[in-house]
């Protein structure tokens, strides 16, 4: 970039914009994390680590961290299982409806997540589509709990990150050359062996990319855990919201937000290291 | 029945016919080139043989057994792709050993055979390299070794030399030919390069529009092209419209040709540039020689020969090739062009 100084000007508008609406507020967030809360509940300007000590002495923070990571892992994994075949199909198909199919696959992005959550309530709820169907078929006698718990949140979250993962997979499939699969077949590998020995290893970079993206989106998701969790699912994102709004404890919210950010950056660095090893 | 038998093979795509009722017999150990321009169906034919494309009609039989609908991985065909298609995530040894692993060959034997294959293509010691660390020629050899190590029933080469530079291509041509001969492996070689076809194969099938226009030895194809298409596609050619004299005999540029005329219809006269000789204007033709006169338009030095363009009275042009050591006649000079009567071929005007 230093060799092409004039090219760098292309970055100027976005940089200016991001500094104003992202970097500056984030710095503000860092500042608030070092403030204290007085006995009345009011925020006191300070440079203190008291809130940090308070937050990390609380075992609930640890529990929230595990919850967030576990929820993100499971929902991202579920989403990956569903997205991978779809992406492979979209990448490979020679159908003239290909772009239309791709748009349909990422259509959920166009719907507000609040609307999607209510959609899931209608499907997974006690009197929802699935329970009514299973009951009328006599498979179950009482409704199975699928909302206001981890199951519902995992399903809802997986659905909401799928479009992003499909796009990431499609972008990452670059090296996936069909001729390589033909070569494997001509050398005697049946289709499933060809998939295991050629297609899958060559799509690992795409999978790593999609998984990283899905994981980050799940970690920071707030609406789905909040609404589909029905107050029974506690993760970092919901707790930050509670502290900032219900409790109006901004220092605690800020500390948790900075902590989540650091956690994500750490995990991102880990996954970078991992995917770089995949490349070689 | 021949070792490999294709009969009536047809592949249609939505709005075109790639291969149109193609039939071909290949003997065990024989090497046959499928030569033709791009889009003539030669690669589709090869892919049907490998089981990568399913024919609409026709039968493929190998060693007496029909394999038309057999899955690709059960065919035991060694396919060398134009792009080599080496697995980028595996090293050279594992690329070559891929087919052996799929066949459940025990590790010790596998390693031995991979080592032998590396030696065969002269890549000893490079087994642990990744494909992208190799040069184009080396990648080509790995692809060849990978296809050969499984001891395929037929070796299929798809434009396998076209990604190499000219010098390397020459070397690989001889090398592949030698390996093919020493292993006595039945080989089908798809190419659009006539030199490759002429030098690497026992027989050449010249393809055009999904069919075989002519099949035969290199000499057959070159000296006795069966159709106008083969004549112009293989080797350099002069193709000029002939007139008919009052007696029905053929004439070119107003002079009688010592060539038999097929009855009826317009015809073209074909003669190769290097069979033409230049002589001083007015020199009489010898016995069994054809002769026309014209003037030199210009000469082009091509390296190993010189192309002299001679224009006739009607403005039609003949290309004459002379040795590059000889001095070409000056531009504008009146010359006679002569050639042996037996080097003249006559083709109907419209037939392709």
């Amino acid at each position: 970039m230093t060799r092409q100084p004039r090219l760098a000007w292309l970055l100027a508008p976005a940089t200016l914009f991001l500094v104003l609406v992202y970097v500056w507020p984030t710095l503000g967030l860092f500042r608030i994390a070092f403030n204290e809360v007085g006995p009345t509940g009011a925020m006191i300007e300070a440079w203190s680590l008291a809130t940090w000590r308070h937050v990390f002495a609380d075992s609930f923070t640890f529990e929230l961290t595990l919850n967030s990571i576990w929820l993100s892992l499971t929902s991202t994994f579920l989403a990956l299982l569903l997205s991978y075949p779809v992406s492979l199909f979209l990448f490979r198909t020679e159908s003239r409806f290909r772009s239309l199919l791709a748009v349909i696959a990422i259509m959920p992005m166009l719907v507000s997540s609040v609307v999607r959550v209510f959609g899931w309530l209608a499907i997974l709820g006690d009197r929802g589509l699935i329970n009514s169907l299973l009951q009328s078929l006599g498979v179950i006698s009482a409704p199975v709990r699928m909302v206001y718990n981890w199951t519902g949140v995992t399903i809802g979250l997986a659905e909401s990150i799928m479009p992003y993962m499909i796009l990431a997979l499609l972008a990452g499939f670059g090296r996936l050359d069909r001729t390589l699969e033909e070569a494997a077949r001509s050398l005697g590998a049946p289709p499933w062996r060809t998939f295991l020995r050629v297609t899958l290893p060559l799509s690992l970079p795409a999978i790593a990319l999609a998984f990283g993206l899905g994981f980050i989106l799940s970690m920071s998701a707030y609406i789905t855990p909040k609404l589909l969790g029905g107050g029974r699912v506690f993760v970092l994102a919901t707790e930050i919201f509670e502290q900032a709004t219900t409790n109006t404890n901004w220092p605690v919210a800020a500390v948790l937000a900075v902590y989540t950010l650091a956690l994500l950056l750490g995990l991102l660095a880990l996954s970078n290291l991992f995917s770089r090893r995949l490349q070689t | 029945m021949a070792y490999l038998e294709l009969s009536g093979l047809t592949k249609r795509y939505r709005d075109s016919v790639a291969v149109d009722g193609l039939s071909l017999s290949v003997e065990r150990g024989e090497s046959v080139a499928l030569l033709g321009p791009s889009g003539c169906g030669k690669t589709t034919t090869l892919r049907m043989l490998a089981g990568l494309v399913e024919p609409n009609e026709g039968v493929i039989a190998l060693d007496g057994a029909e394999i038309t609908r057999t899955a690709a991985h059960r065919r035991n065909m060694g396919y060398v792709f134009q792009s080599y298609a080496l697995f980028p995530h595996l090293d050279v040894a594992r690329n070559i050993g891929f087919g052996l692993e799929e066949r459940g060959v025990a590790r010790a034997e596998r390693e031995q055979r991979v080592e032998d294959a590396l030696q065969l293509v002269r890549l000893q010691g490079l087994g642990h390299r990744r494909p992208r660390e190799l040069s184009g020629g080396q990648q080509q050899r790995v692809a060849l070794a990978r296809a050969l190590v499984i001891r395929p029933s037929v070796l299929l080469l798809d434009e396998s030399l076209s990604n190499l530079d000219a010098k390397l291509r020459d070397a690989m041509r001889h090398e592949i030919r030698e390996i093919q001969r020493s292993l006595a492996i039945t080989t089908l070689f798809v190419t659009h390069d006539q030199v490759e076809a002429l030098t690497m194969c026992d027989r050449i099938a010249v393809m055009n529009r999904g069919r075989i226009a002519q099949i035969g030895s290199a000499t057959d194809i070159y000296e006795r092209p069966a159709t106008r298409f083969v004549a112009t596609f293989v080797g350099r050619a002069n193709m000029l419209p002939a007139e008919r004299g009052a007696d029905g005999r053929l004439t070119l540029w107003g002079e009688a040709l010592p060539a038999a005329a097929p009855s009826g219809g317009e015809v073209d006269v074909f003669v190769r540039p290097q069979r033409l000789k230049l002589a001083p204007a007015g020199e009489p033709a010898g016995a069994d020689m054809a002769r026309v006169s014209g003037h030199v338009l210009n000469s082009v030095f091509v390296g190993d020969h010189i192309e002299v363009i001679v224009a006739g009275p009607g403005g039609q042009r003949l290309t004459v090739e002379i040795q590059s050591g000889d001095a070409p006649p000056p531009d504008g000079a009146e010359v006679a062009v002569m050639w042996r009567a037996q080097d003249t071929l006559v083709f109907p005007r419209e037939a392709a």
Side-chain angles (χ1 to χ4, degrees):
Chain A
M1 201 157 66
T2 48
R3 292 206 187 146
Q4 294 171 293
R6 281 200 279 182
L7 205 57
W9 283 104
L10 291 173
L11 301 175
T15 309
L16 190 69
F17 180 73
L18 287 176
V19 165
L20 273 175
V21 306
Y22 182 71
V23 178
W24 184 246
T26 306
L27 289 175
L29 188 74
F30 273 86
R31 177 67 194 88
I32 293 171
F34 294 97
N35 283 344
E36 280 180 31
V37 178
T40 58
M43 186 165 73
I44 304 164
E45 293 272 330
W47 279 106
S48 129
L49 290 173
T51 318
W52 290 85
R53 274 194 291 272
H54 167 69
V55 165
F56 289 104
D58 192 345
S59 67
F60 188 51
T61 306
F62 183 63
E63 196 184 317
L64 286 174
T65 307
L66 286 186
N67 283 352
S68 269
I69 292 178
W70 178 246
L71 175 67
S72 302
L73 281 179
T74 48
S75 55
T76 308
F77 187 71
L78 177 63
L80 180 67
L81 283 183
L82 298 168
S83 311
Y84 185 77
V86 174
S87 307
L88 203 54
F89 170 82
L90 286 174
F91 188 68
R92 283 290 159 75
T93 184
E94 281 157 20
S95 158
R96 59 204 149 122
F97 299 115
R98 186 186 159 176
S99 356
L100 180 69
L101 292 169
V103 168
I104 291 174
I106 59 171
M107 193 90 98
M109 278 166 72
L110 306 179
V111 181
S112 143
S113 44
V114 177
V115 175
R116 274 188 281 161
V117 164
F118 282 104
W120 279 117
L121 287 174
I123 294 169
L124 301 175
D126 286 358
R127 286 188 218 158
L129 189 71
I130 294 179
N131 272 318
S132 319
L133 194 71
L134 290 179
Q135 272 178 304
S136 66
L137 288 173
V139 181
I140 50 171
S141 52
V144 178
R145 214 63 220 281
M146 286 180 293
V147 287
Y148 306 136
N149 60 13
W150 289 98
T151 312
V153 175
T154 308
I155 293 174
L157 211 48
E159 185 262 347
S160 74
I161 60 174
M162 264 182 65
Y164 300 94
M165 293 186 69
I166 288 172
L167 287 178
L169 285 168
L170 282 174
F173 277 156
R175 274 208 309 175
L176 216 53
D177 181 355
R178 175 144 248 177
T179 320
L180 295 175
E181 292 172 6
E182 291 181 343
R185 278 163 61 205
S186 80
L187 290 167
W192 66 276
R193 293 275 305 166
T194 300
F195 177 77
L196 282 184
R197 295 194 66 190
V198 178
T199 318
L200 191 61
L202 289 178
S203 47
L204 278 182
I207 289 174
L209 183 71
F211 200 91
L213 183 67
F215 187 84
I216 289 171
L217 289 171
S218 305
M219 284 286 280
S220 52
Y222 154 71
I223 292 169
T224 309
K226 173 81 181 164
L227 296 182
L228 272 175
R232 289 181 188 82
V233 170
F234 303 101
V235 290
L236 285 167
T238 54
E239 181 63 14
I240 292 168
F241 183 82
E242 290 300 313
Q243 292 293 348
T245 59
T246 318
N247 298 358
T248 57
N249 191 335
W250 283 26
V252 168
V255 166
L256 283 172
V258 171
Y259 166 63
T260 309
L261 188 65
L263 199 64
L264 276 178
L265 286 175
L267 290 169
L268 204 66
L270 253 173
S271 92
N272 234 350
L273 210 72
F274 180 63
S275 61
R276 197 163 303 165
R277 190 164 296 175
L278 284 179
Q279 301 282 357
T280 53
Chain B
M1 195 167 168
Y3 178 63
L4 177 66
E5 196 86 48
L6 316 185
S7 38
L9 218 53
T10 299
K11 178 62 193 177
R12 281 184 290 267
Y13 289 107
R14 202 180 301 162
D15 40 51
S16 64
V17 182
V19 176
D20 189 5
L22 180 138
S23 296
L24 174 67
S25 304
V26 182
E27 296 300 333
R28 195 187 288 268
E30 194 185 17
S31 164
V32 174
L34 299 179
L35 173 68
S38 55
C40 73
K42 54 193 194 296
T43 293
T44 306
T45 305
L46 208 66
R47 290 170 64 81
M48 286 195 281
L49 262 166
L52 300 174
V53 167
E54 199 171 310
N56 297 105
E57 286 162 38
V59 174
I60 304 170
L62 179 70
D63 211 2
E66 190 188 329
I67 58 163
T68 319
R69 315 274 160 203
T70 305
H73 63 275
R74 301 217 171 99
R75 289 201 186 191
N76 199 39
M77 298 278 178
Y79 201 111
V80 181
F81 292 83
Q82 182 173 13
S83 59
Y84 315 141
L86 300 179
F87 305 121
H89 58 302
L90 302 178
D91 66 18
V92 167
R94 292 209 60 195
N95 260 283
I96 297 176
F98 192 98
L100 298 177
E101 278 183 58
E102 290 306 322
R103 282 162 178 73
V105 174
R107 192 195 171 106
E109 188 194 339
R110 199 167 73 217
E111 281 170 0
Q112 187 55 51
R113 280 169 69 175
V114 167
E115 203 48 50
D116 292 346
L118 279 169
Q119 198 149 5
L120 182 72
V121 296
R122 299 194 284 118
L123 286 178
Q124 303 96 305
L126 295 185
H128 296 294
R129 296 272 189 91
R130 285 295 174 97
R132 67 183 144 85
E133 297 168 333
L134 302 181
S135 70
Q138 289 172 326
Q139 292 185 24
Q140 158 79 64
R141 285 153 205 257
V142 175
L144 185 65
R146 185 177 69 176
L148 285 171
V149 78
I150 61 172
R151 293 171 191 159
S153 310
V154 183
L155 179 65
L156 307 171
L157 300 161
D158 182 10
E159 303 261 8
S160 299
L161 300 178
S162 61
N163 286 343
L164 302 176
D165 61 64
K167 205 164 179 187
L168 197 55
R169 196 156 55 216
D170 270 358
M172 281 308 290
R173 219 161 53 206
H174 294 296
E175 210 165 307
I176 291 179
R177 179 65 167 150
E178 216 159 279
I179 290 173
Q180 191 267 331
R181 271 198 179 135
S182 67
L183 300 179
I185 184 165
T186 313
T187 306
L188 244 78
F189 189 103
V190 156
T191 181
H192 64 267
D193 181 336
Q194 44 168 315
V195 180
E196 270 170 36
L198 295 172
T199 55
M200 291 180 69
C201 298
D202 302 320
R203 280 193 302 155
I204 298 167
V206 183
M207 288 185 67
N208 187 30
R209 295 185 193 160
R211 297 163 183 269
I212 292 181
Q214 185 178 3
I215 182 161
S217 69
T219 324
D220 284 341
I221 301 285
Y222 192 82
E223 298 290 350
R224 291 173 288 279
T227 70
R228 187 193 166 86
F229 170 79
V230 175
T232 48
F233 186 75
V234 181
R236 290 181 289 268
N238 284 302
M239 186 76 81
L240 292 174
E243 299 98 43
R244 272 178 204 277
D247 55 353
R249 294 196 53 171
L250 292 180
T251 64
L252 183 67
W253 295 0
E255 303 191 42
L257 282 176
S263 52
E266 305 264 283
V267 293
D268 287 333
V269 169
F270 161 87
V271 60
R272 298 214 180 267
Q274 68 273 28
R275 298 288 158 83
L276 300 180
K277 304 229 178 336
L278 289 176
E283 189 171 300
D288 289 330
M289 293 287 277
R291 176 191 185 282
V292 294
S293 13
H295 64 276
V296 175
L297 216 53
N298 64 330
S299 304
V300 183
F301 182 77
V302 190
D304 49 5
H305 65 264
I306 298 170
E307 287 180 358
V308 181
I309 316 291
V310 177
Q316 290 166 0
R317 293 165 186 197
L318 271 174
T319 303
V320 183
E321 282 180 24
I322 62 173
Q323 281 185 7
S324 55
D326 301 345
D331 294 358
E334 293 294 327
V335 289
V337 179
M338 296 191 217
W339 65 93
R340 294 182 304 175
Q342 69 198 72
D343 290 333
T344 317
L345 288 174
V346 176
F347 294 104
R349 180 76 43 91
E350 297 307 326

